[in-house]
Amino acid sequence: MIGDWKQGRIKDLIDSLESGVSVNGEDRVPAEDEYAVLKVSAVTYDVFDSRAAKPILDGEIARAKCNPKAGQILISRASGTANHVGACVYVDRDYPNRYLPDKLWQTVPKAHGRVNNKWLFYVLSSAKIKSGILNRATGTNIKNITKEELLSLAITIPQFPEQTAIANLLSTWDEAIEKTERLIQAKERQFRCVVEELIYKSVKYGIWDEVHAGSLFKERKETHRDDLPLLSITNDQGVIPREETNRKDTSNEDKSKYRRIFPGDLGYNTMRMWQGVSALAECEGIVSPAYTVCIPGEKLIPEFVAFLFKTPFMIHRFYRYSQGLTPDTWNLKFRHFSEVKVPLPSIDEQRKITEVLSVAQQEIDLLKQLAEKYKTQKRGLMQKLLMGIWRVRTDKEVA
């Protein structure tokens, strides 16, 4: 017990958890005014997506029940992704045209209770509760937690004024994160418009010559460089050290066949180039044989090519030239990559385009770093505030 905080369980704060029912719906995104049943993916940590839903068929509408209500918490009781079991969101308004499925719960407040639901939402989102839920979740392919298990989780409960003060403080960080992410989205839309103007229009109207990639690139096949660090080629982080990917290391112990990649090389995932997984190397190392490493020729500025290869029309070309019977086997080896037509503006124009796009991309990257910094700060605050390590002065105490 911490001062005037009390030990309790989640069931001490809410009356029960209500859920909806599985109803049949159309497989399309519903309009806001359509009656629709939510998908489980509508609820992830901190995010409620009311568009992740299926319009309810006319004959099924009578069976639908339980709309998301302002001030309540939605909780996922089951998910194919273990880390999403227990994911929850705070509902900021009523959604009369959306209905819960049987795999989503909504909190039901006690008739005579006094709890700040925004504070409770932060508690349910905390690392401690997440860990408790994962420890109790059962199932192999689909992880599930029962109402009884969830409601029995132990928590430490401050007085209502301090609940409110904690919720208000953490909400400040949520607002900063939300504003930053909205700005990122706006900057990314702007970036796409700039790419459309500077690159796609010139391709669409045939202003630039187009040549086969084989005349512009050579394949780097250097191996037996076990002395170099192991790198990974990612879709959104570029070429980075393998340990920074936060994925299990499945690389071979014998790395003699791993390929050297050098600053200025373009590397791509041979099996996923049709999805645009390519990046420009800024450091030297080795990559798995699952990657293809290309050396840009003298007619190319590597940074320009990195932007070019992320455009939708080029990704579609890589898709068309990929080989294989199913998406799981599609691949774009260098000999087929060589056949892809690549737009070729002058070196001077490549340089100017690169300068504009690099500035825009750097601005987006800085905003993403800021958003991640806010999230890290919030996680630290949650741990200290919700465990009572740091106390918050209430309005009554300040007065």
mmCIF file of all heavy atoms in Angstrom, residues 20 45 66 85 92 102 125 139 168 175 184 189 223 275 297 310-311 314 321 345 350 378:
data_model
loop_
_atom_site.group_PDB
_atom_site.id
_atom_site.type_symbol
_atom_site.label_atom_id
_atom_site.label_comp_id
_atom_site.label_asym_id
_atom_site.label_seq_id
_atom_site.Cartn_x
_atom_site.Cartn_y
_atom_site.Cartn_z
ATOM 1 N N GLY A 20 -20.275 -7.955 -27.790
ATOM 2 C CA GLY A 20 -21.286 -8.055 -28.824
ATOM 3 C C GLY A 20 -21.431 -9.496 -29.277
ATOM 4 O O GLY A 20 -21.103 -10.429 -28.543
ATOM 5 N N TYR A 45 -3.317 -1.155 -29.190
ATOM 6 C CA TYR A 45 -2.930 -0.340 -28.045
ATOM 7 C C TYR A 45 -3.005 1.151 -28.371
ATOM 8 O O TYR A 45 -2.327 1.625 -29.277
ATOM 9 C CB TYR A 45 -1.532 -0.721 -27.562
ATOM 10 C CG TYR A 45 -1.527 -2.027 -26.801
ATOM 11 C CD1 TYR A 45 -0.962 -3.163 -27.334
ATOM 12 C CD2 TYR A 45 -2.133 -2.126 -25.546
ATOM 13 C CE1 TYR A 45 -0.982 -4.365 -26.644
ATOM 14 C CE2 TYR A 45 -2.162 -3.322 -24.852
ATOM 15 C CZ TYR A 45 -1.579 -4.436 -25.406
ATOM 16 O OH TYR A 45 -1.609 -5.623 -24.718
ATOM 17 N N CYS A 66 -24.617 -3.740 -28.446
ATOM 18 C CA CYS A 66 -23.471 -3.145 -27.756
ATOM 19 C C CYS A 66 -22.656 -2.198 -28.636
ATOM 20 O O CYS A 66 -21.766 -2.609 -29.377
ATOM 21 C CB CYS A 66 -22.562 -4.231 -27.181
ATOM 22 S SG CYS A 66 -21.281 -3.577 -26.073
ATOM 23 N N VAL A 85 -3.503 -9.451 -27.269
ATOM 24 C CA VAL A 85 -4.509 -9.897 -26.312
ATOM 25 C C VAL A 85 -4.519 -8.902 -25.150
ATOM 26 O O VAL A 85 -3.494 -8.628 -24.554
ATOM 27 C CB VAL A 85 -4.198 -11.313 -25.781
ATOM 28 C CG1 VAL A 85 -5.240 -11.726 -24.754
ATOM 29 C CG2 VAL A 85 -4.151 -12.298 -26.917
ATOM 30 N N ASP A 92 -13.673 8.071 -26.883
ATOM 31 C CA ASP A 92 -13.893 9.488 -26.569
ATOM 32 C C ASP A 92 -15.268 10.005 -26.980
ATOM 33 O O ASP A 92 -15.636 11.128 -26.652
ATOM 34 C CB ASP A 92 -12.804 10.355 -27.210
ATOM 35 C CG ASP A 92 -12.746 10.197 -28.720
ATOM 36 O OD1 ASP A 92 -13.519 9.382 -29.270
ATOM 37 O OD2 ASP A 92 -11.923 10.880 -29.359
ATOM 38 N N ASP A 102 -17.944 -10.519 -30.798
ATOM 39 C CA ASP A 102 -17.829 -11.282 -29.549
ATOM 40 C C ASP A 102 -16.412 -11.288 -28.987
ATOM 41 O O ASP A 102 -16.204 -11.692 -27.842
ATOM 42 C CB ASP A 102 -18.308 -12.725 -29.754
ATOM 43 C CG ASP A 102 -17.499 -13.460 -30.814
ATOM 44 O OD1 ASP A 102 -16.796 -12.800 -31.597
ATOM 45 O OD2 ASP A 102 -17.565 -14.701 -30.848
ATOM 46 N N SER A 125 -3.335 -0.374 -19.910
ATOM 47 C CA SER A 125 -2.323 -0.294 -20.968
ATOM 48 C C SER A 125 -0.912 -0.455 -20.433
ATOM 49 O O SER A 125 0.044 -0.502 -21.212
ATOM 50 C CB SER A 125 -2.415 1.064 -21.691
ATOM 51 O OG SER A 125 -3.685 1.270 -22.249
ATOM 52 N N GLY A 139 -4.338 -20.774 -25.396
ATOM 53 C CA GLY A 139 -4.589 -21.007 -26.815
ATOM 54 C C GLY A 139 -3.299 -21.097 -27.593
ATOM 55 O O GLY A 139 -2.256 -20.581 -27.174
ATOM 56 N N ASN A 168 -4.923 13.227 -16.405
ATOM 57 C CA ASN A 168 -4.724 14.510 -17.091
ATOM 58 C C ASN A 168 -3.274 14.686 -17.528
ATOM 59 O O ASN A 168 -2.996 15.193 -18.620
ATOM 60 C CB ASN A 168 -5.142 15.660 -16.180
ATOM 61 C CG ASN A 168 -6.642 15.731 -15.981
ATOM 62 O OD1 ASN A 168 -7.403 15.147 -16.753
ATOM 63 N ND2 ASN A 168 -7.080 16.427 -14.933
ATOM 64 N N GLU A 175 -1.681 13.885 -26.261
ATOM 65 C CA GLU A 175 -1.992 14.980 -27.179
ATOM 66 C C GLU A 175 -0.761 15.359 -28.004
ATOM 67 O O GLU A 175 -0.860 15.617 -29.211
ATOM 68 C CB GLU A 175 -2.503 16.195 -26.399
ATOM 69 C CG GLU A 175 -3.891 15.988 -25.796
ATOM 70 C CD GLU A 175 -4.271 17.101 -24.831
ATOM 71 O OE1 GLU A 175 -3.506 18.091 -24.752
ATOM 72 O OE2 GLU A 175 -5.307 16.980 -24.158
ATOM 73 N N ILE A 184 3.143 14.277 -39.075
ATOM 74 C CA ILE A 184 3.894 13.320 -39.890
ATOM 75 C C ILE A 184 3.051 12.881 -41.083
ATOM 76 O O ILE A 184 3.533 12.845 -42.226
ATOM 77 C CB ILE A 184 4.306 12.096 -39.044
ATOM 78 C CG1 ILE A 184 5.373 12.492 -38.022
ATOM 79 C CG2 ILE A 184 4.824 10.964 -39.943
ATOM 80 C CD1 ILE A 184 5.661 11.416 -37.001
ATOM 81 N N ARG A 189 1.989 13.013 -46.872
ATOM 82 C CA ARG A 189 1.125 13.306 -48.029
ATOM 83 C C ARG A 189 1.787 14.338 -48.930
ATOM 84 O O ARG A 189 1.761 14.214 -50.162
ATOM 85 C CB ARG A 189 -0.249 13.805 -47.563
ATOM 86 C CG ARG A 189 -1.133 12.729 -46.952
ATOM 87 C CD ARG A 189 -2.567 13.208 -46.817
ATOM 88 N NE ARG A 189 -2.676 14.340 -45.901
ATOM 89 C CZ ARG A 189 -2.885 14.228 -44.598
ATOM 90 N NH1 ARG A 189 -3.004 13.037 -44.044
ATOM 91 N NH2 ARG A 189 -2.985 15.309 -43.836
ATOM 92 N N THR A 223 32.007 -12.206 -51.575
ATOM 93 C CA THR A 223 31.703 -13.024 -50.397
ATOM 94 C C THR A 223 32.976 -13.236 -49.575
ATOM 95 O O THR A 223 33.987 -12.581 -49.812
ATOM 96 C CB THR A 223 31.114 -14.380 -50.830
ATOM 97 O OG1 THR A 223 32.028 -15.023 -51.719
ATOM 98 C CG2 THR A 223 29.774 -14.207 -51.524
ATOM 99 N N GLN A 275 7.373 -5.794 -53.225
ATOM 100 C CA GLN A 275 6.717 -4.978 -52.191
ATOM 101 C C GLN A 275 7.518 -3.716 -51.884
ATOM 102 O O GLN A 275 7.161 -2.959 -50.990
ATOM 103 C CB GLN A 275 6.548 -5.798 -50.914
ATOM 104 C CG GLN A 275 5.584 -6.960 -51.058
ATOM 105 C CD GLN A 275 5.507 -7.807 -49.802
ATOM 106 O OE1 GLN A 275 6.532 -8.163 -49.217
ATOM 107 N NE2 GLN A 275 4.299 -8.124 -49.382
ATOM 108 N N GLY A 297 25.794 2.677 -61.567
ATOM 109 C CA GLY A 297 26.828 3.140 -62.469
ATOM 110 C C GLY A 297 26.995 4.653 -62.433
ATOM 111 O O GLY A 297 26.317 5.373 -61.694
ATOM 112 N N LYS A 310 11.301 3.556 -54.540
ATOM 113 C CA LYS A 310 10.190 3.516 -53.587
ATOM 114 C C LYS A 310 8.893 4.042 -54.185
ATOM 115 O O LYS A 310 7.847 4.030 -53.527
ATOM 116 C CB LYS A 310 10.536 4.357 -52.346
ATOM 117 C CG LYS A 310 11.656 3.788 -51.488
ATOM 118 C CD LYS A 310 11.245 2.506 -50.790
ATOM 119 C CE LYS A 310 12.291 2.038 -49.811
ATOM 120 N NZ LYS A 310 11.903 0.774 -49.152
ATOM 121 N N THR A 311 8.935 4.510 -55.421
ATOM 122 C CA THR A 311 7.721 5.046 -56.038
ATOM 123 C C THR A 311 6.788 3.896 -56.435
ATOM 124 O O THR A 311 7.249 2.814 -56.839
ATOM 125 C CB THR A 311 8.049 5.876 -57.294
ATOM 126 O OG1 THR A 311 8.779 5.063 -58.214
ATOM 127 C CG2 THR A 311 8.888 7.098 -56.928
ATOM 128 N N MET A 314 7.417 2.222 -59.917
ATOM 129 C CA MET A 314 8.590 1.352 -60.023
ATOM 130 C C MET A 314 8.358 0.039 -59.270
ATOM 131 O O MET A 314 8.748 -1.029 -59.742
ATOM 132 C CB MET A 314 9.830 2.058 -59.477
ATOM 133 C CG MET A 314 10.448 3.076 -60.417
ATOM 134 S SD MET A 314 10.919 2.421 -62.052
ATOM 135 C CE MET A 314 12.035 1.088 -61.626
ATOM 136 N N TYR A 321 8.065 -8.118 -63.062
ATOM 137 C CA TYR A 321 9.216 -8.910 -63.481
ATOM 138 C C TYR A 321 9.620 -9.972 -62.463
ATOM 139 O O TYR A 321 10.548 -10.742 -62.721
ATOM 140 C CB TYR A 321 10.410 -7.992 -63.775
ATOM 141 C CG TYR A 321 10.331 -7.355 -65.148
ATOM 142 C CD1 TYR A 321 9.599 -6.200 -65.352
ATOM 143 C CD2 TYR A 321 10.975 -7.932 -66.239
ATOM 144 C CE1 TYR A 321 9.505 -5.612 -66.611
ATOM 145 C CE2 TYR A 321 10.899 -7.359 -67.500
ATOM 146 C CZ TYR A 321 10.160 -6.196 -67.676
ATOM 147 O OH TYR A 321 10.073 -5.635 -68.929
ATOM 148 N N PRO A 345 16.813 10.558 -65.863
ATOM 149 C CA PRO A 345 17.035 11.992 -66.060
ATOM 150 C C PRO A 345 18.533 12.293 -66.022
ATOM 151 O O PRO A 345 19.337 11.432 -65.658
ATOM 152 C CB PRO A 345 16.316 12.623 -64.866
ATOM 153 C CG PRO A 345 16.323 11.555 -63.821
ATOM 154 C CD PRO A 345 16.241 10.253 -64.553
ATOM 155 N N GLN A 350 18.845 14.742 -61.516
ATOM 156 C CA GLN A 350 18.829 13.789 -60.406
ATOM 157 C C GLN A 350 19.279 14.467 -59.113
ATOM 158 O O GLN A 350 18.693 14.261 -58.044
ATOM 159 C CB GLN A 350 19.756 12.606 -60.693
ATOM 160 C CG GLN A 350 19.282 11.662 -61.773
ATOM 161 C CD GLN A 350 20.250 10.514 -61.975
ATOM 162 O OE1 GLN A 350 20.708 9.905 -60.998
ATOM 163 N NE2 GLN A 350 20.575 10.205 -63.232
ATOM 164 N N LYS A 378 6.436 8.927 -22.198
ATOM 165 C CA LYS A 378 5.139 8.518 -21.653
ATOM 166 C C LYS A 378 5.242 7.167 -20.955
ATOM 167 O O LYS A 378 4.675 6.983 -19.866
ATOM 168 C CB LYS A 378 4.096 8.461 -22.768
ATOM 169 C CG LYS A 378 2.709 8.016 -22.280
ATOM 170 C CD LYS A 378 1.776 7.746 -23.437
ATOM 171 C CE LYS A 378 0.541 6.991 -22.976
ATOM 172 N NZ LYS A 378 -0.333 6.596 -24.082
#
